Amino acid sequence: MHKTKREEAVTSLHDLSAVDLIAGYRAKQFSPSEVLEEVLAHIAVWEPHIKALYAFDPEGARATAKASTERWQKGEPMGTLDGVPVTIKDNIATKGQPVPLGAASVKLVPAERDAPPAARLREAGAVIFSKTTMPDYGMLSSGLSSFHPLTRNPWDVSKNPGGSSSGAGAAGAAGYGPLHLGTDIGGSVRLPACWCGLVALKPSLGRVPVDPPYVGRVAGPMTRTVDDAALMMSVLSRPDRRDGMSLPAHEINWKALDKSPRKLRIGLMLDPGVGQPLEKEVRDVAVKAAKAFESAGAVITEVDGILTREMLDGLDNFWRARMWDDLSRLAPEQRAKALPYIYQWAEAGAKLSGVDVIRGFNMTMAIRAAAAKLFCDLDYVVSPVSPVVNFPAEFAAPINDPAKPFEHICYTVPWNMSENPAVSINGGYDRRGFPIGVQIVGRRFDDLGVLGMAKTFEGLRGPQKPWPLPPKK
């Protein structure tokens, strides 16, 4: 039967989910080498427009895919993701490649070994063909960087993909294969997923071992489907002793995503308590999502946000001081290479007292206490991911003012500090067809439940718009 161009695009190998790729390999419908070549051809069309990649290694990937193809021909795959194309964010170490952290001020030294998430993906047979871009030190929700070229959003190249997993978000939306690995300390997988139409899980702290570990810092999947996010988690959540903050090894059936919302108590959080005003189109999408769960039997209650101005400003102070500590150790000429926005933001940290910084850090515990109280009476929370639909590609943040750097993360950052799992999933579109994300938050350690709720929402939400086509030359 003749297919239209749009139908052909949907069924192209680069557009297939990881679940479908594995099924295709098993049935010998196509090989990892064939899939990789389609992904590489697609990248050649898109990459000049969006600049999502760092340390792109097509020849190394071809060798890995060839070995995978030979294993599948023998019926002997080496792991869960054998032959599936994957990207990894700049700041997750991969052996032999420098880790610039998106910053021109960082000295380029090849990593001695893979960080835990990269090691798990490689052990599972994934074809790691590239790293992805990020802003300086991961401290922006933007594709702006002093080291990488400006990363743009495939849905509209005049708009920002978000960050700090900016390249991962752009690559996922553009169809650079099905699986992309990001990190999140305040919204850095969820915000680009929101603005790029993807699924992204910020796991419970410690669910995915990382190195180096830090307060609120997690690594998580960025994919086009919930099933792929769960598949990726089945690999990423395996133990690694290098992370002293990781959770004990625990067998989770990541395929068990069936979850009925019936009688679940869901809070609808439209006002986070502080931050940028919520745009109407974003609000409408969040309300529609809550009503979809209500129609499926959930009990919806509108709830107040848990963040206060003191909490947000405290986090800001703590992070400024932490960033200035890093920058102050550099020679002046190296320090000057950092993005001016980051330099100006961090420099204010030098003026804070020790008491100011401790008070700021202590806000993490205040947020944690508020989140625990909220979830005494709720099973899940539904909210926007971002208060705004989008913002210009050239901006460091939606407000673009280093004096007000975090007004847009008020829906996302509480759950890093409280350690709750939270997923971003596309909930709809604005009047111009730009994606708008919805966030689903669960109790600590209920990562599977959060993905199950997202899977349910995929069914309730209905068909989505086609993925963006490459800009015309």
Side-chain angles (χ1 to χ4, degrees):
M1 188 175 96
H2 176 72
K3 294 183 179 181
T4 65
K5 287 184 178 180
R6 176 161 288 179
E7 287 172 329
E8 287 174 351
V10 168
T11 56
S12 295
L13 293 181
H14 65 76
D15 266 335
L16 290 180
S17 70
V19 171
D20 287 340
L21 288 180
I22 294 296
Y25 297 157
R26 186 171 289 113
K28 294 183 168 54
Q29 294 174 329
F30 43 76
S31 71
S33 292
E34 291 172 316
V35 170
L36 177 65
E37 290 305 322
E38 279 216 17
V39 169
L40 295 178
H42 195 63
I43 288 170
V45 175
W46 264 110
E47 188 61 8
H49 301 283
I50 63 172
K51 307 290 186 184
L53 302 183
Y54 159 66
F56 182 38
D57 182 17
E59 292 310 313
R62 285 186 171 109
T64 303
K66 181 182 177 182
S68 176
T69 295
E70 292 170 354
R71 289 191 294 271
W72 278 108
Q73 287 173 346
K74 297 175 183 177
E76 299 174 353
M78 69 180 286
T80 306
L81 301 177
D82 204 347
V84 179
V86 172
T87 70
I88 295 179
K89 188 177 177 181
D90 160 343
N91 65 340
I92 299 172
T94 49
K95 185 178 179 179
Q97 294 174 318
V99 184
L101 304 178
S105 51
V106 171
K107 186 178 180 181
L108 298 181
V109 179
E112 294 184 1
R113 57 179 177 171
D114 288 340
R120 298 297 85 75
L121 291 170
R122 208 182 297 277
E123 291 162 2
V127 178
I128 302 168
F129 64 87
S130 188
K131 306 293 286 289
T132 50
T133 61
M134 63 181 284
D136 289 45
Y137 301 96
M139 292 309 300
L140 297 177
S141 300
S142 173
L144 187 64
S145 163
S146 64
F147 179 82
H148 300 296
L150 179 65
T151 303
R152 295 176 178 273
N153 194 312
W155 288 92
D156 180 344
V157 293
S158 73
K159 302 302 181 185
N160 212 293
S164 62
S165 304
S166 48
Y176 291 16
L179 304 182
H180 306 274
L181 178 64
T183 62
D184 190 316
I185 201 171
S188 289
V189 297
R190 289 161 291 161
L191 287 164
C194 166
W195 291 315
C196 292
L198 301 176
V199 174
L201 174 67
K202 181 213 79 67
S204 301
L205 185 75
R207 178 69 69 202
V208 174
V210 295
D211 182 28
Y214 199 74
V215 177
R217 181 174 183 258
V218 302
M222 300 176 69
T223 63
R224 288 185 169 192
T225 68
V226 175
D227 284 334
D228 273 5
L231 180 66
M232 207 170 175
M233 282 298 294
S234 73
V235 171
L236 296 173
S237 59
R238 293 171 185 167
D240 194 301
R241 292 181 179 177
R242 287 177 283 174
D243 185 351
M245 298 172 72
S246 62
L247 298 174
H250 180 57
E251 287 297 323
I252 296 174
N253 181 6
W254 293 100
K255 293 181 180 179
L257 295 176
D258 291 338
K259 191 173 184 70
S260 171
R262 184 169 173 78
K263 295 186 178 180
L264 289 178
R265 300 166 298 174
I266 299 178
L268 173 60
M269 185 181 290
L270 296 173
D271 181 357
V274 67
Q276 279 182 265
L278 180 63
E279 293 181 357
K280 182 180 184 301
E281 287 181 293
V282 180
R283 186 186 193 280
D284 290 346
V285 166
V287 169
K288 186 178 178 181
K291 288 182 176 178
F293 282 120
E294 188 173 46
S295 71
V299 178
I300 306 295
T301 305
E302 192 162 341
V303 296
D304 294 331
I306 63 172
L307 208 62
T308 66
R309 172 53 58 184
E310 182 183 19
M311 290 173 179
L312 187 64
D313 289 349
L315 292 178
D316 186 6
N317 284 342
F318 172 65
W319 283 337
R320 283 178 196 255
R322 176 176 172 243
M323 187 75 260
W324 185 249
D325 176 48
D326 289 340
L327 290 177
S328 67
R329 296 169 188 265
L330 302 176
E333 60 272 17
Q334 282 298 113
R335 193 184 313 150
K337 294 179 181 179
L339 199 69
Y341 181 104
I342 288 290
Y343 190 105
Q344 185 178 347
W345 168 73
E347 193 175 28
K351 301 175 183 177
L352 296 169
S353 70
V355 172
D356 291 332
V357 177
I358 286 296
R359 283 175 178 163
F361 179 79
N362 284 343
M363 288 300 103
T364 63
M365 300 310 295
I367 294 169
R368 188 183 182 111
K373 182 179 179 180
L374 178 71
F375 275 94
C376 283
D377 299 317
L378 297 174
D379 299 300
Y380 297 95
V381 168
V382 169
S383 79
V385 182
S386 157
V388 301
V389 173
N390 54 41
F391 63 105
E394 296 78 10
F395 279 19
I399 291 180
N400 205 35
D401 179 356
K404 299 177 180 179
F406 300 130
E407 302 300 302
H408 62 287
I409 68 171
C410 297
Y411 291 103
T412 53
V413 73
W415 317 117
N416 293 82
M417 301 303 109
S418 66
E419 305 182 7
N420 294 61
V423 65
S424 172
I425 182 170
N426 189 46
Y429 304 86
D430 77 348
R431 60 188 179 279
R432 296 183 179 87
F434 197 89
I436 297 172
V438 169
Q439 182 174 232
I440 304 169
V441 187
R443 292 174 174 167
R444 288 176 69 216
F445 315 132
D446 188 22
D447 304 70
L448 183 63
V450 163
L451 283 176
M453 291 294 285
K455 177 69 175 177
T456 298
F457 181 67
E458 268 186 337
L460 296 171
R461 179 191 61 188
Q464 295 294 277
K465 291 181 181 293
W467 290 95
L469 297 174
K472 294 179 181 179
K473 294 184 180 179

